[in-house]
């Protein structure tokens, strides 16, 4: 059956050509079709209505319509197909999906909720939300009137993390809006009574300190805060995905700060203005920041142990030794751990968070770097005290002999003391120094060195200058060999 446009083309071609065959050649159809269209047009008859064709899913239309109505157009064709098969549907799944889609469209056309655009006032509303991608959580906030965006990353969505980032957002904005609108995030709500959200006590204290009113959107209604939903998707697509993976949280937040500076300096497509420029106007209508900032973040107390360390997350963190035995506060913020003295509120130590079982130790807390381990020689017996009285060379001999595994060192000390008494401390000390230099750790080796006396060689390392002392002989000056004038 020809469409209305095709029929008009045929009538126009017939009027120009004047014959059925000529009009058929122009319109690419047959002369019989042209004749039938012209006859119906001259008789003033309308196009006959096409009788609806039967479809293989007509027997289950009522079933699908009832299921779509009961589920508020949320049921899928995949879940309805088994029930339709049982009711006698024998068509393809693809054709059945068309039926379900059409029924959903018809239901939504009669049950949609009309919306109106939001009208924001300067300094009134800040909208916040959380998103997550690849295990990294992103906190997003939008100042509604100026469209200034704030994005930061975190490892979790705990209440202390959310409040800390919200406080940082207020610092960046330079003021506090009248209302903070959030969805029903579990970290900020204490409960729900008759569909009314009860904020948590910590959130209420935070809101009272900064002077804003906490507000929560309707349940399962992301459209009521679509302004920040768009920002979450924008941050994922334009910031997280192109620059991932981030090596650590600090680098991720550095990238987020640069990204926010970039997008806030560009013209916003919705307001056709630069958000950073509109913030200058809106900042005058924001409430001032409190003079004392709230203590935000995960704060716990610990007692400094005898190692001058505190434990947090199964890891050790050093503090100055003067605080041993006192109680300090630990605050985590942006992958850092701050140690705060409770009496003076002074930050006495700052560490990067480490894995459980590890330790973060700063040398400045202990007065300098760690000294090398020493195993001092402490004589106890009479023989040991007599031998060690010879000085550092004797202690070096004991240390070297012990390291070489000389198990006869203890009994041989008496023999060494006898050699010292027989040859004198000077000669014995020189022999002992030679034994240490050449790694000879037996008493018999020292005796051999003493027996050699002055006949022992004095080797030098390769490359050193060889200095030899030659005997002096009488010499005559060269003038004695001069040829004198014999005349």
């Amino acid at each position: 059956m020809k469409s209305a446009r095709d029929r008009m083309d045929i009538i126009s071609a017939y009027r120009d050509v004047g014959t059925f065959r000529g009009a058929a050649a122009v319109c690419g159809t047959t002369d019989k079709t042209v004749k039938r269209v012209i006859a119906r047009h001259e008789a003033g008859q309308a196009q006959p209505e096409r009788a609806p064709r039967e479809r293989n899913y007509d027997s289950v239309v009522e079933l699908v319509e009832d299921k779509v109505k009961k589920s508020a157009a949320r049921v899928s064709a995949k879940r309805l197909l088994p029930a339709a098969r049982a009711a006698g549907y024998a068509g393809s799944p693809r054709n059945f999906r068309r039926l379900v889609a059409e029924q959903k469209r018809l239901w939504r056309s009669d049950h949609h909720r009309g919306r109106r655009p939001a009208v924001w006032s300067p300094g009134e509303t800040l909208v916040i939300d959380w998103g997550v991608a690849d295990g990294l959580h992103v906190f997003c906030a939008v100042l509604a009137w100026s469209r200034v965006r704030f994005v930061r990353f975190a490892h979790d969505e705990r209440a202390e993390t959310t409040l800390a980032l919200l406080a940082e957002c207020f610092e960046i904005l330079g003021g506090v809006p009248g209302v903070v609108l959030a969805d029903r995030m579990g970290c900020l709500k204490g409960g729900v009574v008759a569909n009314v959200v009860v904020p948590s006590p910590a959130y209420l204290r935070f809101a009272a300190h900064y002077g804003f009113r906490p507000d929560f959107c309707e349940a399962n209604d992301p459209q009521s805060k679509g302004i920040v939903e768009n920002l979450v998707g924008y941050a994922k697509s334009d910031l997280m995905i192109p620059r991932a993976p981030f090596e650590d949280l600090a680098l991720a937040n550095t990238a987020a700060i640069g990204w926010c500076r970039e997008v806030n300096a560009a013209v916003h497509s919705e307001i056709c203005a630069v958000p950073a420029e509109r913030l200058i106007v809106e900042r005058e209508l924001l409430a001032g920041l409190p003079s004392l900032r709230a203590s935000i973040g995960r704060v716990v107390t610990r007692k400094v142990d005898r190692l001058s360390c505190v434990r947090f997350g199964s890891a050790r963190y050093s503090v100055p030794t003067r605080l041993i035995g006192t109680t300090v506060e630990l605050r985590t913020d942006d992958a850092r751990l701050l140690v705060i003295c409770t009496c003076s509120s002074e930050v006495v130590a700052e560490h990067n968070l480490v894995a459980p079982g590890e330790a973060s130790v700063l040398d400045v807390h202990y007065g300098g770097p760690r000294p090398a381990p020493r195993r001092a020689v402490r004589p106890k017996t009479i023989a040991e005290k007599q031998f060690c009285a010879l000085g550092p060379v004797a202690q070096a001999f004991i240390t070297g002999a012990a390291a070489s595994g000389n198990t006869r060192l203890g009994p041989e000390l008496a023999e060494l003391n006898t050699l010292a008494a027989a040859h004198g401390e000077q000669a014995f000390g020189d022999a002992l120094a030679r034994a240490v230099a050449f790694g000879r750790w037996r008493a018999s080796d020292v005796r051999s060195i003493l027996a050699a006396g002055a006949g022992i060689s004095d080797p030098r390392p390769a490359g050193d200058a060889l200095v030899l002392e030659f005997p002096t002989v009488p010499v005559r000056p060269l003038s004695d060999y001069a040829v004198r004038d014999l005349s």
Side-chain angles (χ1 to χ4, degrees):
M1 183 177 294
K2 297 293 184 180
S3 63
R5 182 173 182 175
D6 292 339
R7 293 196 302 272
M8 292 301 296
D9 291 341
I10 291 174
I11 295 172
S12 177
Y14 178 75
R15 288 175 178 174
D16 294 338
V17 178
T19 61
F20 296 144
R21 292 181 181 275
V26 172
C27 297
T29 182
T30 62
D31 56 333
K32 294 182 179 180
T33 301
V34 174
K35 182 179 180 180
R36 184 169 56 251
V37 170
I38 297 301
R40 188 178 293 115
H41 174 70
E42 292 177 351
Q45 299 178 1
Q47 181 74 9
E49 295 184 359
R50 177 182 295 180
R53 293 184 300 175
E54 294 185 359
R55 300 184 181 276
N56 57 1
Y57 53 69
D58 289 341
S59 60
V60 294
V61 170
E62 294 183 0
L63 171 66
V64 173
E65 183 179 359
D66 183 61
K67 294 292 185 181
V68 169
K69 182 179 179 180
K70 289 181 178 180
S71 65
R74 289 188 177 91
V75 67
S76 64
K78 178 182 177 181
R79 299 302 178 188
L80 281 179
L81 184 58
R85 296 287 191 195
Y89 175 70
S92 65
R94 182 180 182 182
N95 210 30
F96 184 74
R97 287 195 296 270
R98 292 194 182 97
L99 170 63
V100 175
E102 179 63 20
Q103 293 300 321
K104 286 183 177 181
R105 186 188 64 79
L106 293 175
W107 186 90
R108 292 190 181 110
S109 64
D110 296 333
H111 295 83
H112 66 79
R113 183 178 66 177
R115 293 187 176 274
R116 60 187 300 174
V119 179
W120 307 104
S121 299
E124 180 184 15
T125 306
L126 178 74
V127 192
I128 64 173
D129 196 12
W130 278 101
V132 61
D134 298 330
L136 193 62
H137 301 266
V138 56
F139 176 82
C140 299
V142 181
L143 196 55
W145 184 79
S146 62
R147 295 300 201 278
V148 172
R149 282 145 299 183
F150 174 85
V151 174
R152 292 295 185 273
F153 295 103
H155 288 305
D156 54 60
E157 298 180 10
R158 299 168 60 94
E160 55 268 15
T161 306
T162 304
L163 298 183
L165 293 176
L166 190 55
E168 183 182 353
C169 179
F170 292 155
E171 296 286 343
I172 297 298
L173 297 178
V176 181
V179 179
V180 174
L181 176 62
D183 63 0
R184 303 189 175 196
M185 53 183 67
C187 60
L188 298 182
K189 71 177 181 179
V192 180
V193 179
N195 199 37
V196 177
V197 179
V198 180
S200 65
Y203 188 32
L204 280 178
R205 288 193 298 269
F206 179 84
H209 181 80
Y210 277 91
F212 67 87
R213 179 175 63 86
D215 192 14
F216 298 88
C217 67
E218 293 291 334
N220 302 319
D221 188 20
Q223 291 83 0
S224 61
K225 58 180 184 62
I227 188 173
V228 74
E229 295 286 347
N230 293 334
L231 175 58
V232 173
Y234 186 28
K236 289 180 180 179
S237 62
D238 195 57
L239 173 60
M240 300 182 70
I241 295 177
R243 307 188 186 186
F246 294 105
E247 297 180 359
D248 55 25
L249 190 62
L251 292 177
N253 280 324
T254 301
I257 293 172
W259 184 81
C260 290
R261 189 182 301 112
E262 176 186 348
V263 298
N264 289 330
V267 176
H268 195 283
S269 60
E270 182 69 20
I271 61 176
C272 297
V274 178
E277 296 177 356
R278 285 174 64 116
L279 177 61
I280 300 175
V281 178
E282 187 171 11
R283 186 175 286 138
E284 298 179 359
L285 302 176
L286 297 175
L289 293 168
S291 58
L292 296 177
R293 304 295 189 261
S295 179
I296 305 300
R298 184 180 179 184
V299 179
V300 295
T301 58
R302 292 289 189 273
K303 185 176 181 180
V304 183
D305 58 18
R306 293 184 179 180
L307 297 176
S308 190
C309 292
V310 291
R311 291 183 64 86
F312 178 78
S314 299
R316 289 186 181 273
Y317 300 90
S318 65
V319 299
T321 54
R322 58 184 173 82
L323 298 176
I324 292 178
T326 62
T327 300
V328 296
E329 290 184 352
L330 306 183
R331 181 179 303 163
T332 56
D333 178 21
D334 195 13
R336 297 180 307 163
L337 182 135
L338 303 178
V339 182
I340 303 172
C341 184
T342 54
C343 57
S344 62
S345 299
E346 175 190 2
V347 178
V348 295
E350 181 178 345
H351 297 270
N352 292 327
L353 292 176
V354 297
E358 296 185 1
S360 177
V361 178
L362 302 180
D363 294 337
V364 68
H365 294 160
Y366 298 90
R370 180 190 297 273
R374 296 186 305 162
R375 304 295 181 263
V377 177
R378 297 184 178 89
K380 295 183 179 180
T381 65
I382 297 176
E384 292 173 354
K385 292 179 179 180
Q386 184 179 357
F387 183 76
C388 291
L390 297 173
V393 66
Q395 297 181 8
F397 183 85
I398 291 178
T399 304
S404 67
N406 183 7
T407 57
R408 296 285 302 166
L409 178 60
E412 287 183 348
L413 285 181
E415 183 179 354
L416 291 172
N417 290 332
T418 303
L419 292 174
H423 293 271
E425 291 186 3
Q426 182 63 37
F428 182 77
D430 295 341
L432 208 58
R434 187 176 181 85
V436 171
F438 290 93
R440 309 303 296 258
W441 311 113
R442 302 284 182 176
S444 58
D445 298 330
V446 179
R447 183 185 296 109
S448 299
I449 295 173
L450 290 171
I456 58 177
S457 60
D458 188 15
R460 291 288 185 270
D464 287 0
L466 182 61
V467 179
L468 300 177
E469 294 183 1
F470 295 100
T472 58
V473 295
V475 295
R476 293 190 302 173
L478 294 178
S479 59
D480 293 345
Y481 299 95
V483 179
R484 295 182 174 89
D485 189 7
L486 299 178
S487 61

